[in-house]
Each structure stands twice: as C-alpha cells, then as structure tokens.
Amino acid sequence: MSKSISEIKIEFEQAGEQQWEALCQEYETDSRTGVKNLTARYRKKQQALVQERERLEVMKTFERKYADYSFICGIDEAGRGPLAGPVVAGAVILPKDCEILYLNDSKKLSAAKREELEKAVAAAVGMASPARIDEINILQATYEAMREAISKLAVEPGILLNDAVTIPEMIIPQVPIIKGDAKSVSIAAASILAKVTRDRLMVEYDRVMPEYGFAGHKGYGSKEHIEAIKKYGPTPIHRKTFIKNFI
C-alpha cells in the first residue's frame, strides 16, 4: 500500500538537505497532486540553496583577497540615525570555512538565523552612550564604539574590513568597503551583531519607559516617537543634539 501524502510530507520534513533529491526522484512518478506539490516545493528549495551559496561565494571576495591575514575582522555599526539610545558597533571574526546561509544585511535576516553568529571565532560589541554622542558628535562616537568592540575581541585581528569608514587611531590595517554589509560576510555578521544587540537594549528601555514606544521604532524618529517626546519630554536616553528641534 502506498504511503499517504501526510506520511510523505513528514518524510521530506525529517530528511536532511542531502536526501531531498533522492526523495524527489522516488516520488516524482506519483500522480497525486499533493505529492507533486511536495516534490516541486523541495526542488525549489534545492535551487534556492544553490543560488544562496553562489551569492555567499561572491560575498567572500574580500575574505579571499585578504586570506593571508591570520584573522579577518568585519566591523559595522547600528544606531547612527536614531533620536535615542546608544550607537553600537559590532566586530566579528568568522572561521575561514564558515557557512551561514542567508547572511546579509541584518534588516533582512530572521532572528533565528542571527543566532548562527555563534559560529564566530570571536565577536564583541562596543557602545557609545547618548551623552557621549552629544559630547563628541555621532561620527566620533561611532569610531569610539568601533575601537571598543575591536579591543574586546578574544583574538587580535590581522586586518579590518569596515563598512564604509576608516577608523582613526588604529594601527591594524583597514579596508573601507562601501555598502560592505552586502559585499562581505564578515561585515554582514558584524552588522547583525550590532543591530541585534541594540534592538534588544531598546526593548529593555521600552519596559522601563513604555509611553515612548522604543520596542517598535527602536529610537528612530517616527511620528509616534516625536509625538511622545513633545508630550512627555525627553528621557535620559535621548540625544539632546538630535531632538533640539522637537522640544
């Protein structure tokens, strides 16, 4: 007696990626619509993975170019634009053979996939507070956060791949890459680390100050946020130099 569609579906779901092709071949002659849909879906998944691996190979161009360096470190930040909260920098050194599928700009990546950054050889974050941003300006505060992140790494980088900037006061060789989070796996990983760290912090702030909606807009200048500033006034985590036109 032939297997039910539900049984075949479970078989596909429990199979690893390496078994999909064999299952598709096994059931491709099954005339039932449900089975045809299943094999078509997994053929499509196979093709998507092929395309993703090709994209990742392109994103490893800079890592291959500088492969002679012992540890290649990606650097990126999150939070240069918001009205509230710190600016956070991420520094990540990935293993040379690391494969994190769908690694790209953090805005496009699922929370579950972000957890795969545990594959990193070393990872660290640095922060500059709203008060520090007001004191030295956002660009200098970003550089400061980046230097802090690099200093906290468990191993010393041989070279830095930075998203667009050259960090002052660094003796480690640097390569600034425009739109680096879409061109380098190391920078993409750093971008994700910085954003996840900052987003979690803003959610914590939201629990303390729920009237501002930090969990939703993460401190950016949304209409809701600006209205809350006007209604309730600034908080200690607001950047005074950023909100002077709203109070």
Side-chain angles (χ1 to χ4, degrees):
M1 191 171 79
S2 63
K3 295 177 183 177
S4 69
I5 296 173
S6 295
E7 288 173 326
I8 295 172
K9 182 180 180 182
I10 291 170
E11 197 173 352
F12 270 102
E13 289 172 348
Q14 292 179 342
E17 179 190 337
Q18 304 305 320
Q19 286 80 50
W20 290 350
E21 178 58 30
L23 287 173
C24 285
Q25 290 181 11
E26 180 180 349
Y27 294 115
E28 64 186 356
T29 57
D30 195 308
S31 61
R32 290 173 291 179
T33 302
V35 178
K36 287 184 178 296
N37 289 342
L38 271 173
T39 55
R41 186 191 313 162
Y42 279 87
R43 293 264 194 218
K44 190 173 181 180
K45 280 189 174 186
Q46 284 179 300
Q47 185 58 36
L49 285 170
V50 169
Q51 292 173 347
E52 173 58 15
R53 290 194 169 99
E54 289 172 351
R55 187 186 70 84
L56 274 181
E57 280 306 304
V58 174
M59 283 186 71
K60 292 178 182 176
T61 299
F62 288 97
E63 282 74 11
R64 284 194 295 270
K65 182 176 180 180
Y66 299 103
D68 289 343
Y69 287 89
S70 54
F71 293 110
I72 299 170
C73 180
I75 308 289
D76 202 3
E77 54 73 30
R80 283 180 67 171
L83 308 179
V87 61
V88 177
V92 176
I93 299 172
L94 294 173
K96 290 184 183 291
D97 59 350
C98 182
E99 180 185 81
I100 304 178
L101 297 175
Y102 304 102
L103 180 66
N104 202 344
D105 185 344
S106 58
K107 301 177 189 68
K108 304 173 184 175
L109 204 69
S110 71
K113 187 60 66 172
R114 291 167 185 167
E115 297 302 323
E116 287 198 40
L117 289 179
E118 293 176 4
K119 294 178 180 178
V121 171
V125 296
M127 298 188 197
S129 69
R132 188 61 173 158
I133 292 167
D134 289 333
E135 182 182 355
I136 62 174
N137 78 46
I138 185 60
L139 181 59
Q140 295 306 317
T142 300
Y143 291 150
E144 200 168 85
M146 289 176 169
R147 287 192 292 267
E148 180 188 347
I150 295 163
S151 72
K152 289 162 67 177
L153 288 166
V155 298
E156 184 175 348
I159 192 168
L160 307 176
L161 303 183
N162 307 337
D163 188 29
V165 301
T166 300
I167 308 165
E169 303 171 32
M170 295 298 303
I171 60 172
I172 302 169
Q174 303 180 61
V175 181
I177 303 170
I178 303 298
K179 296 184 178 178
D181 58 0
K183 297 177 182 176
S184 158
V185 290
S186 303
I187 297 176
S191 172
I192 292 158
L193 178 61
K195 185 176 189 302
V196 169
T197 301
R198 190 179 186 282
D199 283 357
R200 287 175 179 168
L201 187 59
M202 297 310 293
V203 169
E204 290 298 317
Y205 284 133
D206 186 75
R207 293 192 179 105
V208 180
M209 298 169 281
E211 62 271 25
Y212 290 88
F214 291 129
H217 53 65
K218 305 299 189 293
Y220 283 86
S222 67
K223 182 181 177 182
E224 172 199 5
H225 188 189
I226 293 168
E227 287 175 352
I229 295 170
K230 290 177 178 178
K231 182 175 180 180
Y232 302 109
T235 71
I237 69 162
H238 278 101
R239 305 171 183 179
K240 293 181 176 65
T241 51
F242 281 47
I243 64 169
K244 57 188 177 182
N245 294 330
F246 305 128
I247 56 174

